[in-house]
């Protein structure tokens, strides 16, 4: 099976712009989670989508949003970019047990976002 | 709230020596604990998990972790370190489920392991 894929791998944006990142989960996985990784903070949970519905949300401002499509692919959008949004954005998918996501997460390689 | 702490930003060990990467946790209820590894320019890879059962959990690449309930610790270990083990290691705990029945993971800040030849 192909792993989790993320596009683009690298992105440079200017303050005030917006950005959209994409994540394709492992085939059959319906849960996609998004994380922000920075050197000082480690991994911070952004949100999780399952069956096109947001199921969990971390403590990030409303500038961070996401969605999931019927094929389980997910996008994350950040509006009005700030310098502090520079980070590695990781997505992870996990399998389903019954009607809920379960099991360990499988991570993509990440999108490195630099805001100048 | 559930949390994990990785008290060391970096651990250095000589190749062939045993290694330990520390993790302590704070949870209400039974902990579900995980270790992940991140190599440069890669996402995180699952190493091992503790749900219940034996306190010594064996995982990928010769790693193991010891669950200690009295010390609320879940340290990652390997008997003989390899240079290729050099990477960033994350401990994680599964948070309590919310009303939807799903749950999220809380990660530590990571420990960089350097294995010296």
């Amino acid at each position: 099976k192909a792993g989790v894929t993320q596009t683009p791998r690298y992105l440079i944006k200017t303050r005030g712009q917006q950005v959209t990142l994409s994540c394709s989960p492992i085939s059959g996985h319906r849960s996609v989670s998004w994380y922000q990784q920075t050197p000082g903070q480690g991994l911070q949970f952004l949100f999780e989508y399952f069956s096109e519905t947001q199921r969990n949300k971390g403590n990030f401002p409303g500038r961070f949003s996401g969605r999931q499509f019927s094929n389980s692919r997910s996008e994350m959008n950040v509006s009005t970019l700030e310098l502090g949004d520079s980070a590695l954005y990781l997505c992870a998918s996990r399998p389903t047990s019954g009607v809920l996501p379960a099991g360990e997460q499988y991570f993509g390689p990440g999108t490195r976002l630099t805001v100048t | 709230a559930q949390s994990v702490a990785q008290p060391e930003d970096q651990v250095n060990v000589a190749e062939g020596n045993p290694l330990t990467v520390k993790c302590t946790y704070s949870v209400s209820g039974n902990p579900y604990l995980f270790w992940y590894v991140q190599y440069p320019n890669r996402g995180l890879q699952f190493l091992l998990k503790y749900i219940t059962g034996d306190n010594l959990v064996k995982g990928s690449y010769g790693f193991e972790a010891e669950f200690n309930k009295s010390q609320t610790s879940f340290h990652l270990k390997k008997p003989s370190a390899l240079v290729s083990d050099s990477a960033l290691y994350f401990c994680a705990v599964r948070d309590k489920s919310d009303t939807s029945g799903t749950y999220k993971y809380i990660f530590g800040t990571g420990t960089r392991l350097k294995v010296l030849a």
Side-chain angles (χ1 to χ4, degrees), chain B residues 71-86:
Chain B
Q71 296 185 3
T72 62
S73 66
F74 188 56
H75 299 334
L76 182 70
K77 302 184 180 198
K78 188 173 183 182
S80 178
L82 301 172
V83 172
S84 57
D85 292 330
S86 299

Side-chain angles (χ1 to χ4, degrees), chain B residues 83-105:
Chain B
V83 172
S84 57
D85 292 330
S86 299
L88 189 56
Y89 290 81
F90 289 94
C91 181
V93 65
R94 197 184 80 174
D95 202 356
K96 291 165 62 175
S97 64
D98 61 13
T99 53
S100 73
T102 62
Y103 47 83
K104 57 191 181 195
Y105 292 81

Side-chain angles (χ1 to χ4, degrees), chain A residues 3-81:
Chain A
V4 178
T5 58
Q6 292 187 246
T7 56
R9 292 293 310 277
Y10 301 92
L11 207 48
I12 299 176
K13 290 286 188 178
T14 305
R15 267 181 304 176
Q17 289 185 314
Q18 75 164 18
V19 67
T20 299
L21 311 181
S22 180
C23 172
S24 292
I26 290 173
S27 178
H29 288 190
R30 289 165 30 210
S31 162
V32 173
S33 296
W34 287 90
Y35 293 87
Q36 181 194 66
Q37 183 180 5
T38 56
Q41 300 292 318
L43 266 76
Q44 302 284 308
F45 172 76
L46 281 153
F47 28 65
E48 178 183 20
Y49 284 86
F50 180 72
S51 295
E52 302 178 64
T53 303
Q54 188 180 89
R55 293 301 183 110
N56 277 300
K57 191 175 188 308
N59 298 320
F60 278 80
R63 300 185 297 108
F64 292 82
S65 63
R67 59 178 176 168
Q68 188 179 35
F69 302 95
S70 58
N71 62 357
S72 296
R73 189 177 70 85
S74 177
E75 288 182 346
M76 190 191 89
N77 185 274
V78 188
S79 62
T80 319
L81 283 166

